[in-house]
Amino acid sequence: MPVLAGKELRIVGFLCNWCSYGGADTAGVGRFTQPTDLRIIRVPCSGRIDPLFIVKALLGGADGVLVSGCHPRDCHYASGNFYARRRLEVLKGMLPILGIEPGRFEYTWVSASEGQRWQHVVTTFTNQIHALGPTPVKDVLGACQGLPSLKGGDRAVA
């Protein structure tokens, strides 16, 4: 059942297999109440997440994207979350250039034993996305579907 007034939005979550996915599992085992808007994609390490995955999700109609990995210095691959932090900070700075509100993307660190922290993180982020509302990218993409294709436009010019 959706938590917030029956309006469920699409939020994509990229979760590290070793820590954050375990934290989400711990929250589930502990029966902590969580919003149901988040769709989880389990990845081996937050350092494996290409920023283009996030951009593609946001331009594809996701209302928000959350990335969560191991705490710094607790990464199972030693430095994956340091790579992730560097890339994701750069991406955060570029989102306004792409016309995407920066509040639609967040990254955080949650360990496998932090079920309550996971509940807090996902609830806070979901509330933030609900405050922003549905992404306007869907409207822009829908309006573009009525436009003639580039191939047809080329023939009209020739």
Side-chain angles (χ1 to χ4, degrees), residues 84-104:
R85 183 174 58 189
R86 189 177 328 142
R87 290 182 195 144
L88 299 177
E89 274 299 318
V90 171
L91 175 66
K92 261 189 147 180
M94 293 181 64
L95 288 178
I97 296 168
L98 298 172
I100 298 170
E101 298 155 305
R104 296 192 179 277

Side-chain angles (χ1 to χ4, degrees), residues 23-119:
D25 193 38
T26 302
V29 170
R31 297 187 181 265
F32 299 134
T33 306
Q34 301 176 49
T36 56
D37 304 65
L38 186 72
R39 302 294 183 261
I40 294 174
I41 299 173
R42 193 176 184 176
V43 295
C45 177
S46 58
R48 297 292 305 219
I49 298 170
D50 189 325
L52 290 178
F53 298 165
I54 296 159
V55 171
K56 188 170 181 177
L58 289 169
L59 292 179
D63 298 302
V65 174
L66 176 68
V67 174
S68 187
C70 302
H71 288 281
R73 300 184 189 202
D74 202 19
C75 177
H76 284 66
Y77 300 104
S79 56
N81 49 14
F82 289 114
Y83 290 125
R85 183 174 58 189
R86 189 177 328 142
R87 290 182 195 144
L88 299 177
E89 274 299 318
V90 171
L91 175 66
K92 261 189 147 180
M94 293 181 64
L95 288 178
I97 296 168
L98 298 172
I100 298 170
E101 298 155 305
R104 296 192 179 277
F105 167 67
E106 195 65 54
Y107 69 90
T108 188
W109 318 119
V110 175
S111 77
S113 63
E114 295 178 319
Q116 280 193 318
R117 176 168 160 67
W118 172 255
Q119 177 198 28

Side-chain angles (χ1 to χ4, degrees), residues 130-155:
H130 276 268
L132 290 171
T135 183
V137 172
K138 293 176 194 171
D139 298 333
V140 172
L141 292 176
C144 290
Q145 288 179 351
L147 296 174
S149 68
L150 184 61
K151 196 172 184 179
D154 287 341
R155 275 188 245 138

Side-chain angles (χ1 to χ4, degrees), residues 9-24:
L9 298 176
R10 279 191 217 156
I11 302 173
V12 177
F14 292 99
L15 274 58
C16 146
N17 179 53
W18 302 104
C19 287
S20 294
Y21 191 82

Side-chain angles (χ1 to χ4, degrees), residues 121-134:
V121 164
V122 75
T123 303
T124 302
F125 186 68
T126 302
N127 290 339
Q128 179 179 323
I129 297 301
H130 276 268
L132 290 171

